[in-house]
Amino acid sequence: AQTVTQSQPEMSVQEAETVTLSCTYDTSESDYYLFWYKQPPSRQMILVIRQEAYKQQNATENRFSVNFQKAAKSFSLKISDSQLGDAAMYFCAFSETSGSRLTFGEGTQLTVNP
Amino acid sequence: EAGVTQSPTHLIKTRGQQATLRCSPISGHTSVYWYQQALGLGLQFLLWYDEGEERNRGNFPPRFSGRQFPNYSSELNVNALELEDSALYLCASSLRPGQGVTYEQYFGPGTRLTVT
């Protein structure tokens, strides 16, 4: 069974600065997908970024980028130029190919200080 | 484009009763997923439906069940409610998974179920 671990229950960052959230996972699969979701106080889960394991290039979406280290089974999220609206719970998630469930980490609560 | 919708927003039930939660996927999405987010337990996968059939099930007792209708909307039923069933229930939808392809899951706002 796959497991996803987020070792940072809480993180804080100053507005306009950069923060990195960590995620490690365990799987015996060679092909899979990784995601970062954010859950603001409204509780609506919002997809931030997605990474296919077969792609060596790290995914980037505007101010959000990942550092995907397949051998180390590590998948960190970097948020650049942090904004107050980035404050939320961030979840790392794993999915096998061909659909299937998302396995989530425990989450990291990000606070952005003005 | 309308997102995933869920109803009701809040639901209060008494232990032993049944709860029915509803989800409408994004237009064009055939897969619907249900997750439970209980305090202290994180997000746990419950059920996955595609094309009207249950495709996968999480580690939950049989009193958690559901179905998917021909229009791809879905219902989650929880029978014989227990206090620990109190949680936020999230529904997500995606395009039909293909061989070797996983599509993003888009989530609804959730239904907050409180069991007293």
Side-chain angles (χ1 to χ4, degrees):
Chain A
Q2 290 80 15
T3 58
V4 179
T5 302
Q6 293 178 248
S7 59
Q8 306 155 314
E10 298 177 346
M11 291 282 285
S12 64
V13 63
Q14 292 296 124
E15 197 175 2
E17 294 191 346
T18 296
V19 64
T20 299
L21 309 184
S22 301
C23 172
T24 58
Y25 58 94
D26 188 26
T27 182
S28 58
E29 303 290 329
S30 59
D31 204 8
Y32 47 86
Y33 293 76
L34 295 163
F35 305 88
W36 279 97
Y37 282 88
K38 66 180 280 190
Q39 188 178 41
S42 67
R43 308 297 275 176
Q44 175 89 50
M45 292 284 283
I46 301 166
L47 177 66
V48 175
I49 201 164
R50 148 195 171 130
Q51 174 78 44
E52 293 89 337
Y54 65 84
K55 289 187 178 179
Q56 293 189 348
Q57 186 172 6
N58 290 324
T60 299
E61 287 288 341
N62 301 315
R63 298 181 296 105
F64 299 88
S65 61
V66 300
N67 183 4
F68 173 50
Q69 302 288 330
K70 191 172 184 180
K73 296 180 180 175
S74 169
F75 182 61
S76 61
L77 175 70
K78 185 171 83 171
I79 306 174
S80 303
D81 186 25
S82 297
Q83 300 175 0
L84 295 178
D86 294 333
M89 180 72 87
Y90 285 80
F91 291 96
C92 176
F94 172 100
S95 175
E96 297 174 348
T97 58
S98 301
S100 185
R101 65 181 70 184
L102 287 172
T103 300
F104 287 91
E106 306 90 336
T108 296
Q109 183 67 52
L110 178 67
T111 301
V112 181
N113 300 309
Chain B
E1 179 181 288
V4 178
T5 59
Q6 291 187 244
S7 63
T9 304
H10 294 94
L11 189 58
I12 300 174
K13 292 287 186 178
T14 303
R15 189 170 52 185
Q17 287 186 318
Q18 178 194 42
T20 298
L21 289 64
R22 295 179 177 83
C23 172
S24 290
I26 291 171
S27 177
H29 287 187
T30 64
S31 275
V32 171
Y33 307 79
W34 287 95
Y35 295 86
Q36 182 196 65
Q37 188 174 25
L39 202 62
L41 294 177
L43 278 151
Q44 304 289 327
F45 167 76
L46 263 166
L47 291 159
W48 169 30
Y49 291 96
D50 186 71
E51 292 289 349
E53 293 189 14
E54 183 180 301
R55 301 292 184 178
N56 202 348
R57 182 182 183 86
N59 188 25
F60 282 83
R63 56 190 188 81
F64 286 84
S65 65
R67 53 180 173 166
Q68 186 178 35
F69 300 98
N71 66 354
Y72 304 114
S73 66
S74 176
E75 217 172 65
L76 174 68
N77 295 293
V78 188
N79 295 319
L81 284 165
E82 299 178 2
L83 295 178
E84 53 264 35
D85 296 335
S86 294
L88 181 69
Y89 289 83
L90 293 167
C91 171
S93 75
S94 78
L95 294 170
R96 177 178 304 143
Q99 189 165 358
V101 178
T102 290
Y103 295 102
E104 295 88 342
Q105 294 183 24
Y106 294 90
F107 285 78
T111 292
R112 171 74 64 186
L113 173 64
T114 302
V115 183
T116 62

